[in-house]
Amino acid sequence: MDKRFVQAHREARWSLWLAVGYIIAWSLMAWLPDSKSGFTGLPHWFEMACMLVPGVFILLCWLMVRLVFRDIPLEDKSET
């Protein structure tokens, strides 16, 4: 198999699992914490699900792009 496809599949798997992880983390943080006020005055579950989890996953996305994704040529060399 062409190395471009191997890399593309690898990037797609990482992206899929990161998206699944985000949905699971968001769901858990929306349902598990209590409804008491947090440090911003908003409900604790809202702070966790809508402020903390997105921040963590933005960092994870940045790390994934820096460490997993590679710049590869998309042209097919056999056509030229």
Side-chain angles (χ1 to χ4, degrees):
M1 185 182 271
D2 191 354
K3 289 182 181 181
R4 296 176 299 160
F5 296 119
V6 173
Q7 181 63 26
H9 284 259
R10 180 176 178 228
E11 292 172 5
R13 279 192 307 272
W14 273 88
S15 299
L16 174 69
W17 288 115
L18 192 64
V20 169
Y22 179 79
I23 291 170
I24 291 169
W26 185 87
S27 298
L28 288 174
M29 292 302 120
W31 293 105
L32 292 181
D34 53 12
S35 293
K36 295 179 186 174
S37 290
F39 65 91
T40 63
L42 297 168
H44 191 238
W45 65 267
F46 183 83
E47 289 179 346
M48 299 290 283
C50 298
M51 296 170 72
L52 178 68
V53 170
V56 168
F57 276 85
I58 287 171
L59 176 66
L60 290 175
C61 287
W62 178 79
L63 284 171
M64 182 178 65
V65 169
R66 300 286 287 169
L67 300 175
V68 176
F69 283 31
R70 297 287 176 243
D71 190 17
I72 57 174
L74 300 177
E75 301 87 31
D76 188 9
K77 294 178 183 176
S78 63
E79 290 182 10
T80 57

